[in-house]
Amino acid sequence: MAGPEGRQALRPLPRGTHRRGVRRARLRLPGFGDSEGDQGILSPADQLTDLRNSVTYLTTRDDVIADAIGCFGTGGTGGGNAVLLAGVDPRIRAVVSQVPVADGRDWLHRMRQEHEWIAYLSALEEDAKLRVTTGRGRTVHPREEIMIPTPERKTTTIKADVDERIPTAISLASAEQILEYRPIDAADGLLTPLMVIGVEADATTPTDHAEALYEVAAGPKALIMQRKTSHYAAYDRYWTEVTPRIVQWFDRYVRPADVRVESSAGSASIENLEVAAR
């Protein structure tokens, strides 16, 4: 399961999993592309509900082992949502979170200079008053007035196939939910095996968000840090190194109940992938 940025990142995974009989379910979040749902709302809380419903759906299928389900999430809130899902749903046996957001308020704050941040909070307050008094608030472009695109984001073609599916106008009230978005709380003490994949010096989803999720998790965990690349370039690079590690993680921890694998709860590993950029 992946966020709006996940399509590009998911492409290499079948090469590593098809011989293992792994079934994949890719969720298209409500309001994105041709999926049902209000395209004017971006709600992480509603997304989490849909993720849990997706797990339930998988358990109804005859071709899925109901107690051998893992979750892969990528791209900002996609990576964060995977951690949130693992935190509330014990049916998830292992999780991989790539370039995640751990704290929505910190994420939005760090996109802006301090004077811009203060003005932004003021604008959110005024919009809340407008909604209360008139019943309708402002609509904004999610990648211009909620997120602030980096120079790389403005020029990359990595996600061109995804951009056309993202709504261009959503309620500014959606920003309030992102301010409250805290996968770091779900990761704190998490016993579900967690692999976190970050990018060194990531200007889009801060590197220390990935590191923080890894640090507070209490179960088996691994941190993979991609180097000499950038947030969007990482989707195309290093898959020969990253994909096998993802597959190994799921192979190890996503097993049906009649197979028991002993592992110390605190086992941890860190890997730095340093491959010359192409």
Side-chain angles (χ1 to χ4, degrees):
M1 301 173 186
E5 295 182 355
R7 187 176 181 185
Q8 185 81 15
L10 282 171
R11 284 175 178 159
L13 291 184
R15 295 200 295 266
T17 59
H18 74 283
R19 293 189 181 92
R20 293 169 168 78
V22 173
R23 307 286 293 181
R24 293 189 308 140
R26 186 175 67 205
L27 173 66
R28 179 171 292 171
L29 296 172
F32 288 85
D34 56 4
S35 64
E36 297 178 355
D38 188 347
Q39 292 203 353
I41 299 293
L42 193 162
S43 170
D46 289 348
Q47 291 174 3
L48 181 59
T49 297
D50 288 322
L51 287 169
R52 298 192 75 177
N53 289 340
S54 296
V55 176
T56 299
Y57 167 71
L58 289 175
T59 66
T60 70
R61 294 182 59 98
D62 293 336
D63 57 349
V64 172
I65 301 174
D67 58 355
I69 297 175
C71 180
F72 171 83
T74 183
T77 55
N81 283 348
V83 176
L84 288 176
L85 178 62
V88 298
D89 198 325
R91 296 172 297 179
I92 297 299
R93 294 305 179 90
V95 59
V96 175
S97 174
Q98 184 183 36
V99 289
V101 167
D103 181 331
R105 174 175 286 268
D106 181 69
W107 184 44
L108 294 185
H109 190 174
R110 287 162 67 168
M111 295 177 190
R112 297 165 170 86
Q113 297 184 48
E114 193 62 23
H115 70 90
E116 294 172 325
W117 176 244
I118 293 171
Y120 187 66
L121 293 179
S122 178
L124 294 181
E125 183 178 353
E126 289 303 314
D127 186 68
K129 293 177 181 177
L130 185 65
R131 296 196 308 274
V132 169
T133 55
T134 69
R136 186 173 183 178
R138 290 174 52 202
T139 59
V140 297
H141 193 296
R143 294 201 179 277
E144 298 292 339
E145 296 178 80
I146 292 184
M147 287 182 62
I148 302 296
T150 62
E152 181 192 20
R153 178 67 185 85
K154 292 178 179 179
T155 59
T156 185
T157 59
I158 293 294
K159 292 170 59 274
D161 59 337
V162 175
D163 286 342
E164 63 186 26
R165 294 174 172 82
I166 296 175
T168 57
I170 67 171
S171 168
L172 181 57
S174 300
E176 295 179 358
Q177 293 204 40
I178 298 177
L179 292 177
E180 299 172 357
Y181 183 73
R182 290 201 35 103
I184 189 67
D185 293 338
D188 192 3
L190 183 69
L191 295 177
T192 305
L194 170 66
M195 172 179 281
V196 184
I197 303 170
V199 171
E200 191 175 77
D202 192 338
T204 300
T205 52
T207 304
D208 57 22
H209 280 217
E211 294 170 335
L213 292 173
Y214 167 80
E215 288 295 335
V216 301
K221 57 185 179 179
L223 174 64
I224 294 178
M225 193 60 62
Q226 296 186 74
R227 307 180 67 193
K228 297 186 177 180
T229 186
S230 61
H231 180 91
Y232 294 102
Y235 287 118
D236 267 352
R237 294 180 182 169
Y238 309 144
W239 276 107
T240 57
E241 289 83 17
V242 175
T243 301
R245 288 166 170 82
I246 295 173
V247 173
Q248 290 165 10
W249 192 255
F250 287 134
D251 273 350
R252 181 175 182 182
Y253 293 111
V254 182
R255 295 173 179 267
D258 57 350
V259 176
R260 182 177 180 179
V261 178
E262 295 290 341
S263 174
S264 63
S267 62
S269 63
I270 302 177
E271 291 191 51
N272 287 303
L273 303 184
E274 184 170 0
V275 181
R278 293 180 295 178

PDB file of all heavy atoms in Angstrom, residues 102-119:
ATOM      1  N   ALA A 102       7.223  12.016   9.672  1.00  0.00           N
ATOM      2  CA  ALA A 102       6.988  11.543  11.036  1.00  0.00           C
ATOM      3  C   ALA A 102       6.158  12.516  11.848  1.00  0.00           C
ATOM      4  O   ALA A 102       5.482  12.123  12.799  1.00  0.00           O
ATOM      5  CB  ALA A 102       8.329  11.299  11.744  1.00  0.00           C
ATOM      6  N   ASP A 103       6.203  13.798  11.500  1.00  0.00           N
ATOM      7  CA  ASP A 103       5.519  14.844  12.264  1.00  0.00           C
ATOM      8  C   ASP A 103       5.046  15.902  11.279  1.00  0.00           C
ATOM      9  O   ASP A 103       5.855  16.648  10.705  1.00  0.00           O
ATOM     10  CB  ASP A 103       6.486  15.444  13.286  1.00  0.00           C
ATOM     11  CG  ASP A 103       5.867  16.528  14.149  1.00  0.00           C
ATOM     12  OD1 ASP A 103       4.940  17.223  13.684  1.00  0.00           O
ATOM     13  OD2 ASP A 103       6.320  16.714  15.292  1.00  0.00           O
ATOM     14  N   GLY A 104       3.725  15.969  11.050  1.00  0.00           N
ATOM     15  CA  GLY A 104       3.185  16.864  10.037  1.00  0.00           C
ATOM     16  C   GLY A 104       3.439  18.331  10.313  1.00  0.00           C
ATOM     17  O   GLY A 104       3.722  19.111   9.402  1.00  0.00           O
ATOM     18  N   ARG A 105       3.339  18.753  11.580  1.00  0.00           N
ATOM     19  CA  ARG A 105       3.570  20.159  11.910  1.00  0.00           C
ATOM     20  C   ARG A 105       5.017  20.549  11.602  1.00  0.00           C
ATOM     21  O   ARG A 105       5.270  21.602  10.988  1.00  0.00           O
ATOM     22  CB  ARG A 105       3.246  20.424  13.384  1.00  0.00           C
ATOM     23  CG  ARG A 105       3.594  21.845  13.848  1.00  0.00           C
ATOM     24  CD  ARG A 105       3.145  22.102  15.263  1.00  0.00           C
ATOM     25  NE  ARG A 105       1.696  22.283  15.337  1.00  0.00           N
ATOM     26  CZ  ARG A 105       1.085  23.459  15.249  1.00  0.00           C
ATOM     27  NH1 ARG A 105       1.785  24.578  15.107  1.00  0.00           N
ATOM     28  NH2 ARG A 105      -0.223  23.534  15.320  1.00  0.00           N
ATOM     29  N   ASP A 106       5.947  19.729  12.014  1.00  0.00           N
ATOM     30  CA  ASP A 106       7.352  20.023  11.744  1.00  0.00           C
ATOM     31  C   ASP A 106       7.615  20.038  10.242  1.00  0.00           C
ATOM     32  O   ASP A 106       8.376  20.877   9.747  1.00  0.00           O
ATOM     33  CB  ASP A 106       8.227  18.974  12.436  1.00  0.00           C
ATOM     34  CG  ASP A 106       9.712  19.224  12.214  1.00  0.00           C
ATOM     35  OD1 ASP A 106      10.233  20.221  12.755  1.00  0.00           O
ATOM     36  OD2 ASP A 106      10.347  18.427  11.492  1.00  0.00           O
ATOM     37  N   TRP A 107       7.000  19.123   9.524  1.00  0.00           N
ATOM     38  CA  TRP A 107       7.172  19.024   8.068  1.00  0.00           C
ATOM     39  C   TRP A 107       6.726  20.309   7.377  1.00  0.00           C
ATOM     40  O   TRP A 107       7.476  20.890   6.575  1.00  0.00           O
ATOM     41  CB  TRP A 107       6.364  17.830   7.569  1.00  0.00           C
ATOM     42  CG  TRP A 107       6.488  17.495   6.116  1.00  0.00           C
ATOM     43  CD1 TRP A 107       7.634  17.442   5.370  1.00  0.00           C
ATOM     44  CD2 TRP A 107       5.424  17.125   5.242  1.00  0.00           C
ATOM     45  NE1 TRP A 107       7.349  17.061   4.077  1.00  0.00           N
ATOM     46  CE2 TRP A 107       6.001  16.859   3.982  1.00  0.00           C
ATOM     47  CE3 TRP A 107       4.050  16.977   5.410  1.00  0.00           C
ATOM     48  CZ2 TRP A 107       5.233  16.461   2.879  1.00  0.00           C
ATOM     49  CZ3 TRP A 107       3.289  16.576   4.324  1.00  0.00           C
ATOM     50  CH2 TRP A 107       3.888  16.322   3.072  1.00  0.00           C
ATOM     51  N   LEU A 108       5.505  20.766   7.690  1.00  0.00           N
ATOM     52  CA  LEU A 108       5.012  21.995   7.059  1.00  0.00           C
ATOM     53  C   LEU A 108       5.817  23.211   7.496  1.00  0.00           C
ATOM     54  O   LEU A 108       6.041  24.133   6.699  1.00  0.00           O
ATOM     55  CB  LEU A 108       3.530  22.193   7.392  1.00  0.00           C
ATOM     56  CG  LEU A 108       2.542  21.175   6.819  1.00  0.00           C
ATOM     57  CD1 LEU A 108       1.108  21.596   7.135  1.00  0.00           C
ATOM     58  CD2 LEU A 108       2.721  20.995   5.317  1.00  0.00           C
ATOM     59  N   HIS A 109       6.235  23.237   8.751  1.00  0.00           N
ATOM     60  CA  HIS A 109       7.000  24.372   9.270  1.00  0.00           C
ATOM     61  C   HIS A 109       8.324  24.517   8.529  1.00  0.00           C
ATOM     62  O   HIS A 109       8.709  25.620   8.122  1.00  0.00           O
ATOM     63  CB  HIS A 109       7.242  24.157  10.773  1.00  0.00           C
ATOM     64  CG  HIS A 109       7.813  25.346  11.469  1.00  0.00           C
ATOM     65  ND1 HIS A 109       7.980  25.390  12.838  1.00  0.00           N
ATOM     66  CD2 HIS A 109       8.279  26.539  11.007  1.00  0.00           C
ATOM     67  CE1 HIS A 109       8.505  26.557  13.175  1.00  0.00           C
ATOM     68  NE2 HIS A 109       8.711  27.269  12.075  1.00  0.00           N
ATOM     69  N   ARG A 110       9.021  23.415   8.337  1.00  0.00           N
ATOM     70  CA  ARG A 110      10.356  23.469   7.751  1.00  0.00           C
ATOM     71  C   ARG A 110      10.353  23.791   6.260  1.00  0.00           C
ATOM     72  O   ARG A 110      11.403  24.068   5.679  1.00  0.00           O
ATOM     73  CB  ARG A 110      11.085  22.154   8.035  1.00  0.00           C
ATOM     74  CG  ARG A 110      11.480  22.090   9.500  1.00  0.00           C
ATOM     75  CD  ARG A 110      11.812  20.695   9.972  1.00  0.00           C
ATOM     76  NE  ARG A 110      13.018  20.164   9.374  1.00  0.00           N
ATOM     77  CZ  ARG A 110      13.627  19.065   9.810  1.00  0.00           C
ATOM     78  NH1 ARG A 110      13.129  18.396  10.842  1.00  0.00           N
ATOM     79  NH2 ARG A 110      14.711  18.628   9.226  1.00  0.00           N
ATOM     80  N   MET A 111       9.200  23.804   5.641  1.00  0.00           N
ATOM     81  CA  MET A 111       9.101  24.234   4.249  1.00  0.00           C
ATOM     82  C   MET A 111       9.127  25.758   4.138  1.00  0.00           C
ATOM     83  O   MET A 111       9.268  26.294   3.036  1.00  0.00           O
ATOM     84  CB  MET A 111       7.782  23.738   3.632  1.00  0.00           C
ATOM     85  CG  MET A 111       7.649  22.257   3.519  1.00  0.00           C
ATOM     86  SD  MET A 111       6.006  21.837   2.872  1.00  0.00           S
ATOM     87  CE  MET A 111       6.005  20.066   3.131  1.00  0.00           C
ATOM     88  N   ARG A 112       8.962  26.436   5.265  1.00  0.00           N
ATOM     89  CA  ARG A 112       8.747  27.882   5.247  1.00  0.00           C
ATOM     90  C   ARG A 112       9.757  28.608   6.121  1.00  0.00           C
ATOM     91  O   ARG A 112      10.193  28.080   7.142  1.00  0.00           O
ATOM     92  CB  ARG A 112       7.323  28.193   5.743  1.00  0.00           C
ATOM     93  CG  ARG A 112       6.239  27.631   4.852  1.00  0.00           C
ATOM     94  CD  ARG A 112       4.887  27.621   5.542  1.00  0.00           C
ATOM     95  NE  ARG A 112       3.818  27.304   4.587  1.00  0.00           N
ATOM     96  CZ  ARG A 112       3.457  26.065   4.265  1.00  0.00           C
ATOM     97  NH1 ARG A 112       4.061  25.023   4.830  1.00  0.00           N
ATOM     98  NH2 ARG A 112       2.496  25.875   3.379  1.00  0.00           N
ATOM     99  N   GLN A 113      10.097  29.837   5.740  1.00  0.00           N
ATOM    100  CA  GLN A 113      10.833  30.703   6.634  1.00  0.00           C
ATOM    101  C   GLN A 113       9.916  31.070   7.810  1.00  0.00           C
ATOM    102  O   GLN A 113       8.693  30.967   7.727  1.00  0.00           O
ATOM    103  CB  GLN A 113      11.299  31.955   5.900  1.00  0.00           C
ATOM    104  CG  GLN A 113      12.274  31.675   4.760  1.00  0.00           C
ATOM    105  CD  GLN A 113      12.772  32.948   4.122  1.00  0.00           C
ATOM    106  OE1 GLN A 113      13.185  33.880   4.815  1.00  0.00           O
ATOM    107  NE2 GLN A 113      12.738  33.001   2.802  1.00  0.00           N
ATOM    108  N   GLU A 114      10.528  31.523   8.897  1.00  0.00           N
ATOM    109  CA  GLU A 114       9.742  31.733  10.114  1.00  0.00           C
ATOM    110  C   GLU A 114       8.618  32.743   9.922  1.00  0.00           C
ATOM    111  O   GLU A 114       7.497  32.544  10.408  1.00  0.00           O
ATOM    112  CB  GLU A 114      10.656  32.175  11.265  1.00  0.00           C
ATOM    113  CG  GLU A 114       9.992  32.111  12.629  1.00  0.00           C
ATOM    114  CD  GLU A 114       9.562  30.707  13.022  1.00  0.00           C
ATOM    115  OE1 GLU A 114      10.127  29.726  12.488  1.00  0.00           O
ATOM    116  OE2 GLU A 114       8.653  30.593  13.866  1.00  0.00           O
ATOM    117  N   HIS A 115       8.876  33.832   9.199  1.00  0.00           N
ATOM    118  CA  HIS A 115       7.809  34.812   8.984  1.00  0.00           C
ATOM    119  C   HIS A 115       6.696  34.219   8.130  1.00  0.00           C
ATOM    120  O   HIS A 115       5.509  34.544   8.305  1.00  0.00           O
ATOM    121  CB  HIS A 115       8.371  36.092   8.359  1.00  0.00           C
ATOM    122  CG  HIS A 115       8.829  35.943   6.945  1.00  0.00           C
ATOM    123  ND1 HIS A 115       8.003  36.143   5.857  1.00  0.00           N
ATOM    124  CD2 HIS A 115      10.046  35.595   6.429  1.00  0.00           C
ATOM    125  CE1 HIS A 115       8.679  35.932   4.738  1.00  0.00           C
ATOM    126  NE2 HIS A 115       9.917  35.606   5.052  1.00  0.00           N
ATOM    127  N   GLU A 116       7.047  33.335   7.192  1.00  0.00           N
ATOM    128  CA  GLU A 116       6.038  32.674   6.375  1.00  0.00           C
ATOM    129  C   GLU A 116       5.208  31.711   7.224  1.00  0.00           C
ATOM    130  O   GLU A 116       3.988  31.586   7.030  1.00  0.00           O
ATOM    131  CB  GLU A 116       6.705  31.917   5.227  1.00  0.00           C
ATOM    132  CG  GLU A 116       7.401  32.806   4.217  1.00  0.00           C
ATOM    133  CD  GLU A 116       8.202  32.019   3.201  1.00  0.00           C
ATOM    134  OE1 GLU A 116       8.774  30.964   3.571  1.00  0.00           O
ATOM    135  OE2 GLU A 116       8.264  32.457   2.045  1.00  0.00           O
ATOM    136  N   TRP A 117       5.852  31.038   8.139  1.00  0.00           N
ATOM    137  CA  TRP A 117       5.164  30.103   9.021  1.00  0.00           C
ATOM    138  C   TRP A 117       4.144  30.829   9.908  1.00  0.00           C
ATOM    139  O   TRP A 117       3.008  30.381  10.057  1.00  0.00           O
ATOM    140  CB  TRP A 117       6.177  29.352   9.854  1.00  0.00           C
ATOM    141  CG  TRP A 117       5.603  28.415  10.889  1.00  0.00           C
ATOM    142  CD1 TRP A 117       5.717  28.504  12.240  1.00  0.00           C
ATOM    143  CD2 TRP A 117       4.824  27.240  10.633  1.00  0.00           C
ATOM    144  NE1 TRP A 117       5.075  27.464  12.854  1.00  0.00           N
ATOM    145  CE2 TRP A 117       4.505  26.671  11.893  1.00  0.00           C
ATOM    146  CE3 TRP A 117       4.362  26.619   9.476  1.00  0.00           C
ATOM    147  CZ2 TRP A 117       3.751  25.504  12.022  1.00  0.00           C
ATOM    148  CZ3 TRP A 117       3.601  25.448   9.603  1.00  0.00           C
ATOM    149  CH2 TRP A 117       3.307  24.918  10.854  1.00  0.00           C
ATOM    150  N   ILE A 118       4.558  31.939  10.473  1.00  0.00           N
ATOM    151  CA  ILE A 118       3.648  32.708  11.323  1.00  0.00           C
ATOM    152  C   ILE A 118       2.449  33.190  10.509  1.00  0.00           C
ATOM    153  O   ILE A 118       1.291  33.119  10.954  1.00  0.00           O
ATOM    154  CB  ILE A 118       4.392  33.891  11.971  1.00  0.00           C
ATOM    155  CG1 ILE A 118       5.440  33.365  12.967  1.00  0.00           C
ATOM    156  CG2 ILE A 118       3.421  34.834  12.669  1.00  0.00           C
ATOM    157  CD1 ILE A 118       6.370  34.425  13.497  1.00  0.00           C
ATOM    158  N   ALA A 119       2.698  33.667   9.310  1.00  0.00           N
ATOM    159  CA  ALA A 119       1.613  34.120   8.441  1.00  0.00           C
ATOM    160  C   ALA A 119       0.708  32.951   8.041  1.00  0.00           C
ATOM    161  O   ALA A 119      -0.521  33.106   7.930  1.00  0.00           O
ATOM    162  CB  ALA A 119       2.183  34.793   7.198  1.00  0.00           C
TER     163      ALA A 119
END
